[in-house]
Amino acid sequence: MGRFEQEYREALDGLRFSNAGKERIMKNLIEQAAGTPVKRRGARPLRTALIAAALCAVLVGTAFAASPGLREMLAQALGGFAPYAQEQEDKAYVIDGIEFKVKAVLADNFTIRAYVEARDVDGDIFDRIDDITIPGRVGGGVNVPFLREWMAPDATESWTSGVTCLSYDEENRTALLVASTWKAMPEDFTGAEVEMLYIQSYLTGDFGFAWENTRRTTIPVEVKQVESTVLGKDSTLVSGLSAEEARLSPLGLTLIFRDTTIHREAVEGVDIRVKLMDGSMVTAPQDGWCNIFLPPYDENSARVLIWNFREPVEAEQIAGIYVGEDYFPIG
């Protein structure tokens, strides 16, 4: 083992990836450092020995080129999710005075989120906003095609979406936004797009729009889903909650109830904690939900509850899951 490889491995040991995930990242890092082209999954080469915290920033890559402050904002936002992120074309879209650049996209079967830089090119739009980091100030989401396999011709679907400002660089007048949508995702994401709708402000004492997307301009994105593990009724988690099935991905946990009222009241709005094989815990507040209504709108319909992990977790790392105070072993 060479000196650089040993340093890479020491850096990786401080992050929570599966062994297979570590080996995949190691292969990319070593081969890219040696000048060998490899297929990328949102990662770029690590050129010198870095501590584990800095490793995430390097995984953001040169495709996310910006000022050091903006790179740090993005690296901190992606954190351990960087290896799962789909890089985007570094193209700017100026919409009513704000320049938007989609930097990365993460998706699984029921969650999609896009990391977006928003720069005030007019120069005074962000001055009209009291605090863009307050939840609810920014409206929008990620538009994706309907999952036709689930949808009968006369069926309907509902979902949740929203935008959060993760940080703001005052010097560059740039905000880092994450646009999220929680719904049943298709296999083919052709036509997926980010849509920023408005930015609200309370600066004058009354709510008003500091910015609006007057033409409803959208930004196309490329999406690649991470793999999910399906748990059926033979699992303690699914049977214990009277659900139809559960899905685990590095992004989070999804519970599917075929009847929109059966037992979901016991878990809706409840945070979960994931116990890992090493005894550590990963928290996951409930972030989204969606409904899929199939005629006759009773037992054929589905209620989907979604929790997103705050750091990536591979299914094989999980020993069990706490839903509220109830513990369900996995595996």
Side-chain angles (χ1 to χ4, degrees):
M1 180 185 299
R3 177 172 61 87
F4 287 121
E5 182 176 353
Q6 181 178 357
E7 291 171 340
Y8 295 158
R9 291 188 181 277
E10 290 174 354
L12 279 172
D13 285 341
L15 301 175
R16 284 198 177 100
F17 299 114
S18 65
N19 289 332
K22 286 185 180 181
E23 291 304 317
R24 183 172 62 249
I25 297 170
M26 278 299 308
K27 181 177 183 293
N28 283 0
L29 294 174
I30 298 300
E31 292 186 357
Q32 289 184 47
T36 304
V38 297
K39 184 177 181 180
R40 293 179 299 167
R41 290 189 56 192
R44 295 287 295 180
L46 183 67
R47 294 175 294 181
T48 59
L50 298 171
I51 62 173
L55 176 62
C56 293
V58 174
L59 289 169
V60 171
T62 58
F64 302 148
S67 71
L70 297 178
R71 284 199 299 269
E72 291 171 4
M73 286 164 53
L74 184 61
Q76 183 178 5
L78 281 172
F81 291 105
Y84 303 95
Q86 175 71 37
E87 290 183 1
Q88 302 297 301
E89 181 184 7
D90 195 29
K91 183 176 180 180
Y93 293 78
V94 178
I95 304 173
D96 292 293
I98 295 181
E99 177 190 86
F100 294 96
K101 289 183 178 181
V102 180
K103 294 299 186 178
V105 175
L106 289 164
D108 64 11
N109 292 163
F110 285 91
T111 296
I112 184 169
R113 61 179 181 256
Y115 295 81
V116 184
E117 283 183 3
R119 184 170 68 91
D120 181 359
V121 294
D122 268 11
D124 64 348
I125 296 176
F126 288 164
D127 292 336
R128 302 196 296 267
I129 303 170
D130 53 342
D131 187 351
I132 194 172
T133 63
I134 296 176
R137 286 295 189 262
V138 186
V142 185
N143 302 329
V144 298
F146 288 114
L147 184 63
R148 296 300 177 187
E149 295 89 332
W150 283 45
M151 302 298 288
D154 54 349
T156 60
E157 180 181 23
S158 66
W159 61 90
T160 51
S161 61
V163 180
T164 301
C165 178
L166 301 178
S167 53
Y168 178 65
D169 185 327
E170 186 172 0
E171 179 182 355
N172 293 284
R173 304 184 65 79
T174 300
L176 178 61
L177 311 175
V178 58
S180 303
T181 292
W182 297 274
K183 69 183 297 291
M185 300 294 165
E187 291 186 6
D188 183 1
F189 280 88
T190 301
E193 57 192 14
V194 169
E195 184 175 23
M196 297 294 179
L197 296 174
Y198 58 79
I199 303 176
Q200 291 181 322
S201 177
Y202 198 63
L203 194 62
T204 62
D206 295 314
F207 268 116
F209 291 105
W211 174 86
E212 290 183 81
N213 184 349
T214 57
R215 297 185 179 181
R216 299 292 296 268
T217 303
T218 58
I219 304 171
V221 292
E222 295 183 4
V223 184
K224 184 177 181 181
Q225 287 190 47
V226 298
E227 294 183 2
S228 294
T229 299
V230 178
L231 303 179
K233 291 183 177 180
D234 57 341
S235 70
T236 58
L237 177 66
V238 174
S239 62
L241 296 173
S242 298
E244 183 73 16
E245 68 178 56
R247 299 192 187 185
L248 283 166
S249 84
L251 276 61
L253 166 69
T254 299
L255 287 174
I256 302 172
F257 299 85
R258 284 299 177 188
D259 187 307
T260 60
T261 59
I262 293 178
H263 292 286
R264 66 178 175 80
E265 292 85 355
V267 296
E268 192 165 19
V270 176
D271 292 346
I272 69 169
R273 292 171 294 149
V274 178
K275 182 179 180 181
L276 303 183
M277 292 295 186
D278 63 6
S280 60
M281 293 283 189
V282 174
T283 60
Q286 188 181 327
D287 283 315
W289 56 265
C290 64
N291 290 322
I292 301 172
F293 299 106
L294 301 172
Y297 307 113
D298 45 31
E299 68 275 3
N300 293 314
S301 298
R303 173 73 160 180
V304 182
L305 303 179
I306 304 155
W307 292 262
N308 292 140
F309 300 144
R310 291 304 179 252
E311 55 185 285
V313 177
E314 297 279 0
E316 61 265 27
Q317 294 177 283
I318 299 175
I321 296 176
Y322 286 92
V323 181
E325 297 303 319
D326 296 324
Y327 179 73
F328 301 94
I330 302 295

